[in-house]
Amino acid sequence: MPQLDCVEVNPKVKPTASVIWLHGLGSNGHDFEAILPELKLPASSPVRFIFPHAPSLPVTVNGGMVMPAWYDILEMGIGRRLDKEQLLESAEKVADLIDRERGRGIPSDRIILAGFSQGGAVAYQAALTYPHPLAGLLALSTYFPTSKSIDVALANRHLPIEVMHGSFDPVVLPSMGKAAVEDLQELGFQPQWRVYPMEHQVCMQQVKDIADWLKHTLKMNS
Protein backbone atom coordinates (compact mmCIF):
# COMPACT_ATOMS: atom_id res chain seq x y z
CA MET A 1 0.00 0.00 0.00
CA PRO A 2 1.53 3.37 -0.98
CA GLN A 3 2.18 5.73 1.92
CA LEU A 4 0.01 8.82 2.25
CA ASP A 5 1.38 12.15 1.04
CA CYS A 6 1.61 14.59 3.94
CA VAL A 7 2.22 18.19 4.88
CA GLU A 8 4.88 18.16 7.59
CA VAL A 9 5.67 21.01 9.98
CA ASN A 10 8.79 20.46 12.06
CA PRO A 11 9.72 22.26 15.29
CA LYS A 12 12.77 24.47 15.69
CA VAL A 13 14.21 21.93 18.11
CA LYS A 14 14.68 18.19 17.76
CA PRO A 15 11.20 16.60 17.73
CA THR A 16 10.37 14.26 20.59
CA ALA A 17 6.63 13.99 19.86
CA SER A 18 4.35 13.90 16.82
CA VAL A 19 0.73 14.81 16.09
CA ILE A 20 -0.86 13.15 13.05
CA TRP A 21 -3.97 15.18 12.14
CA LEU A 22 -6.55 13.99 9.59
CA HIS A 23 -8.75 16.43 7.66
CA GLY A 24 -12.40 16.06 6.71
CA LEU A 25 -14.18 15.17 3.46
CA GLY A 26 -13.21 17.27 0.43
CA SER A 27 -10.35 19.04 2.21
CA ASN A 28 -6.60 18.34 2.33
CA GLY A 29 -3.64 18.35 4.67
CA HIS A 30 -3.26 22.13 4.47
CA ASP A 31 -6.65 22.61 6.17
CA PHE A 32 -5.46 22.19 9.76
CA GLU A 33 -1.91 23.34 9.03
CA ALA A 34 -3.40 26.85 9.22
CA ILE A 35 -4.44 26.30 12.84
CA LEU A 36 -0.88 25.88 14.15
CA PRO A 37 -0.12 29.60 14.79
CA GLU A 38 -3.45 29.88 16.65
CA LEU A 39 -2.41 27.08 19.05
CA LYS A 40 0.30 29.42 20.37
CA LEU A 41 2.46 26.51 21.49
CA PRO A 42 5.81 27.40 23.10
CA ALA A 43 8.58 28.21 20.61
CA SER A 44 10.61 25.42 22.23
CA SER A 45 7.80 22.89 21.68
CA PRO A 46 9.42 19.67 20.35
CA VAL A 47 6.33 18.55 18.39
CA ARG A 48 6.25 17.56 14.74
CA PHE A 49 2.84 18.02 13.07
CA ILE A 50 1.88 15.74 10.18
CA PHE A 51 -1.18 16.46 8.06
CA PRO A 52 -1.86 13.63 5.59
CA HIS A 53 -3.75 14.17 2.33
CA ALA A 54 -6.63 11.73 1.79
CA PRO A 55 -6.71 9.96 -1.59
CA SER A 56 -9.27 11.14 -4.17
CA LEU A 57 -12.34 8.90 -4.41
CA PRO A 58 -15.84 9.08 -5.94
CA VAL A 59 -18.24 10.01 -3.12
CA THR A 60 -21.75 8.62 -3.58
CA VAL A 61 -23.62 11.21 -1.49
CA ASN A 62 -22.00 13.95 -3.55
CA GLY A 63 -23.26 12.53 -6.83
CA GLY A 64 -20.18 10.37 -7.38
CA MET A 65 -17.93 13.44 -7.57
CA VAL A 66 -14.24 12.59 -7.12
CA MET A 67 -12.75 14.42 -4.13
CA PRO A 68 -10.31 13.88 -1.25
CA ALA A 69 -12.00 11.31 0.99
CA TRP A 70 -10.92 8.73 3.53
CA TYR A 71 -13.87 6.54 2.46
CA ASP A 72 -17.04 6.66 0.39
CA ILE A 73 -20.27 7.75 2.11
CA LEU A 74 -23.25 5.92 0.66
CA GLU A 75 -25.99 7.58 2.71
CA MET A 76 -26.13 10.53 5.12
CA GLY A 77 -28.15 10.79 8.34
CA ILE A 78 -27.65 9.32 11.80
CA GLY A 79 -27.46 5.79 10.38
CA ARG A 80 -24.75 6.92 7.95
CA ARG A 81 -23.82 4.13 5.53
CA LEU A 82 -20.24 4.03 4.31
CA ASP A 83 -17.62 1.88 2.66
CA LYS A 84 -16.16 0.21 5.74
CA GLU A 85 -13.36 -1.50 3.80
CA GLN A 86 -12.10 1.88 2.60
CA LEU A 87 -12.23 3.22 6.17
CA LEU A 88 -10.21 0.26 7.42
CA GLU A 89 -7.69 0.71 4.60
CA SER A 90 -7.29 4.39 5.49
CA ALA A 91 -6.77 3.43 9.14
CA GLU A 92 -4.02 1.02 8.07
CA LYS A 93 -2.32 3.82 6.13
CA VAL A 94 -2.46 6.02 9.24
CA ALA A 95 -0.92 3.16 11.25
CA ASP A 96 1.88 3.14 8.66
CA LEU A 97 2.50 6.83 9.41
CA ILE A 98 2.71 6.02 13.13
CA ASP A 99 5.21 3.27 12.29
CA ARG A 100 7.23 5.76 10.26
CA GLU A 101 7.36 8.19 13.19
CA ARG A 102 8.56 5.42 15.47
CA GLY A 103 11.21 4.62 12.89
CA ARG A 104 12.32 8.25 13.07
CA GLY A 105 12.86 7.98 16.81
CA ILE A 106 9.51 9.14 18.23
CA PRO A 107 8.22 6.71 20.91
CA SER A 108 4.65 5.57 20.27
CA ASP A 109 3.51 7.03 23.61
CA ARG A 110 4.59 10.45 22.32
CA ILE A 111 2.34 10.26 19.26
CA ILE A 112 -1.16 11.76 19.15
CA LEU A 113 -3.79 11.04 16.51
CA ALA A 114 -6.30 13.77 15.70
CA GLY A 115 -9.10 13.84 13.17
CA PHE A 116 -11.94 16.07 12.02
CA SER A 117 -15.24 14.62 10.73
CA GLN A 118 -14.35 11.75 8.31
CA GLY A 119 -10.76 12.01 9.53
CA GLY A 120 -11.96 11.52 13.08
CA ALA A 121 -13.81 8.33 12.17
CA VAL A 122 -10.56 6.96 10.73
CA ALA A 123 -8.59 8.21 13.76
CA TYR A 124 -10.90 6.30 16.13
CA GLN A 125 -10.22 3.07 14.24
CA ALA A 126 -6.49 3.65 13.79
CA ALA A 127 -5.75 4.75 17.35
CA LEU A 128 -7.77 2.14 19.19
CA THR A 129 -6.39 -0.78 17.16
CA TYR A 130 -2.74 0.32 17.16
CA PRO A 131 -0.65 -2.38 18.91
CA HIS A 132 1.66 0.02 20.80
CA PRO A 133 0.55 2.64 23.39
CA LEU A 134 -0.21 6.08 21.95
CA ALA A 135 -0.25 9.42 23.80
CA GLY A 136 -3.82 10.38 23.00
CA LEU A 137 -6.70 10.74 20.54
CA LEU A 138 -8.40 14.02 19.59
CA ALA A 139 -11.80 13.51 17.90
CA LEU A 140 -13.30 16.66 16.36
CA SER A 141 -16.89 16.94 15.04
CA THR A 142 -16.92 13.26 14.23
CA TYR A 143 -18.55 9.88 14.85
CA PHE A 144 -17.43 6.30 15.51
CA PRO A 145 -18.80 4.05 12.74
CA THR A 146 -16.69 1.00 13.67
CA SER A 147 -17.58 1.07 17.38
CA LYS A 148 -19.52 -2.22 17.28
CA SER A 149 -16.89 -4.17 15.33
CA ILE A 150 -13.59 -2.73 16.58
CA ASP A 151 -11.07 -5.00 18.30
CA VAL A 152 -9.38 -2.61 20.72
CA ALA A 153 -5.66 -3.21 21.17
CA LEU A 154 -4.63 -4.05 24.73
CA ALA A 155 -1.88 -1.40 24.53
CA ASN A 156 -4.45 1.38 24.07
CA ARG A 157 -7.14 0.27 26.51
CA HIS A 158 -6.46 3.37 28.64
CA LEU A 159 -5.87 5.88 25.85
CA PRO A 160 -6.69 9.51 26.80
CA ILE A 161 -9.49 10.61 24.42
CA GLU A 162 -10.72 14.18 23.93
CA VAL A 163 -14.01 14.51 21.99
CA MET A 164 -15.16 17.97 20.79
CA HIS A 165 -18.32 18.84 18.87
CA GLY A 166 -20.43 21.80 17.75
CA SER A 167 -23.87 22.01 19.34
CA PHE A 168 -25.34 23.26 16.02
CA ASP A 169 -23.48 20.86 13.71
CA PRO A 170 -25.80 20.05 10.76
CA VAL A 171 -23.34 17.67 9.07
CA VAL A 172 -22.35 15.31 11.90
CA LEU A 173 -25.17 15.78 14.36
CA PRO A 174 -24.21 16.32 18.02
CA SER A 175 -26.12 13.14 18.87
CA MET A 176 -23.63 11.20 16.70
CA GLY A 177 -20.69 12.65 18.61
CA LYS A 178 -22.38 11.86 21.93
CA ALA A 179 -23.15 8.31 20.76
CA ALA A 180 -19.42 7.87 20.06
CA VAL A 181 -18.67 8.94 23.63
CA GLU A 182 -21.19 6.44 24.99
CA ASP A 183 -19.73 3.67 22.80
CA LEU A 184 -16.27 4.55 24.11
CA GLN A 185 -17.54 4.33 27.67
CA GLU A 186 -19.02 0.90 26.94
CA LEU A 187 -15.59 -0.15 25.69
CA GLY A 188 -14.08 0.94 29.01
CA PHE A 189 -12.68 4.37 28.07
CA GLN A 190 -13.19 7.63 29.96
CA PRO A 191 -13.40 10.22 27.17
CA GLN A 192 -13.67 13.95 27.81
CA TRP A 193 -16.73 15.42 25.99
CA ARG A 194 -16.76 19.12 25.12
CA VAL A 195 -19.47 20.98 23.20
CA TYR A 196 -19.12 24.43 21.63
CA PRO A 197 -21.77 26.83 20.24
CA MET A 198 -20.77 26.29 16.58
CA GLU A 199 -21.64 24.31 13.45
CA HIS A 200 -19.32 21.88 11.56
CA GLN A 201 -16.18 23.89 12.16
CA VAL A 202 -13.56 24.94 14.72
CA CYS A 203 -13.88 27.95 17.04
CA MET A 204 -11.31 29.98 18.97
CA GLN A 205 -12.25 28.71 22.45
CA GLN A 206 -11.90 25.19 21.11
CA VAL A 207 -8.47 25.99 19.64
CA LYS A 208 -7.36 27.19 23.09
CA ASP A 209 -8.71 23.99 24.65
CA ILE A 210 -6.91 21.88 22.02
CA ALA A 211 -3.64 23.68 22.80
CA ASP A 212 -4.11 23.12 26.53
CA TRP A 213 -4.91 19.44 25.95
CA LEU A 214 -1.85 18.96 23.71
CA LYS A 215 0.42 20.59 26.29
CA HIS A 216 -1.06 18.49 29.09
CA THR A 217 -1.01 15.22 27.13
CA LEU A 218 2.55 15.69 25.87
CA LYS A 219 3.68 17.19 29.20
CA MET A 220 4.92 20.40 27.55
CA ASN A 221 5.73 23.54 29.51
CA SER A 222 3.51 26.56 28.80
Side-chain angles (χ1 to χ4, degrees):
M1 233 175 1
Q3 197 159 66
L4 294 167
D5 289 330
C6 303
V7 176
E8 188 172 299
V9 181
N10 280 291
K12 294 177 180 177
V13 297
K14 181 181 178 182
T16 63
S18 297
V19 176
I20 300 171
W21 200 323
L22 311 183
H23 62 76
L25 176 66
S27 190
N28 60 49
H30 294 290
D31 193 16
F32 281 95
E33 179 189 11
I35 210 174
L36 293 187
E38 305 303 328
L39 292 174
K40 296 181 171 58
L41 295 178
S44 60
S45 163
V47 184
R48 175 188 290 135
F49 284 88
I50 297 164
F51 303 98
H53 300 296
S56 291
L57 306 169
V59 177
T60 302
V61 294
N62 288 340
M65 188 182 298
V66 175
M67 62 182 63
W70 298 107
Y71 50 85
D72 186 19
I73 299 175
L74 307 172
E75 189 178 292
M76 293 292 280
I78 290 179
R80 192 157 304 194
R81 289 177 54 239
L82 52 90
D83 189 320
K84 185 178 173 184
E85 289 306 312
Q86 288 177 339
L87 187 156
L88 296 178
E89 184 176 323
S90 289
E92 286 180 27
K93 289 181 177 179
V94 172
D96 288 344
L97 292 179
I98 301 172
D99 290 343
R100 186 183 72 169
E101 288 308 288
R102 292 175 58 226
R104 296 162 94 186
I106 307 295
S108 67
D109 61 3
R110 296 279 292 160
I111 299 173
I112 284 175
L113 278 193
F116 178 84
S117 197
Q118 252 207 356
V122 173
Y124 272 132
Q125 177 67 26
L128 300 185
T129 59
Y130 195 71
H132 302 281
L134 298 173
L137 170 62
L138 177 62
L140 308 172
S141 302
T142 190
Y143 59 113
F144 189 4
T146 56
S147 64
K148 305 304 183 190
S149 59
I150 196 166
D151 185 9
V152 177
L154 187 62
N156 282 298
R157 281 275 172 199
H158 303 289
L159 184 69
I161 305 175
E162 187 80 8
V163 185
M164 299 178 169
H165 216 101
S167 57
F168 306 116
D169 192 333
V171 179
V172 179
L173 300 179
S175 59
M176 296 169 71
K178 190 66 167 65
V181 168
E182 291 167 359
D183 287 341
L184 288 166
Q185 290 169 336
E186 284 185 20
L187 289 167
F189 294 97
Q190 296 180 312
Q192 171 73 40
W193 167 244
R194 295 180 194 257
V195 180
Y196 301 85
M198 62 180 186
E199 295 191 359
H200 197 60
Q201 62 194 102
V202 176
C203 67
M204 286 312 299
Q205 180 57 51
Q206 179 188 16
V207 170
K208 180 183 181 302
D209 291 341
I210 290 171
D212 289 344
W213 183 77
L214 289 174
K215 286 187 279 191
H216 171 76
T217 304
L218 294 175
K219 300 175 177 60
M220 298 186 321
N221 296 320
S222 299

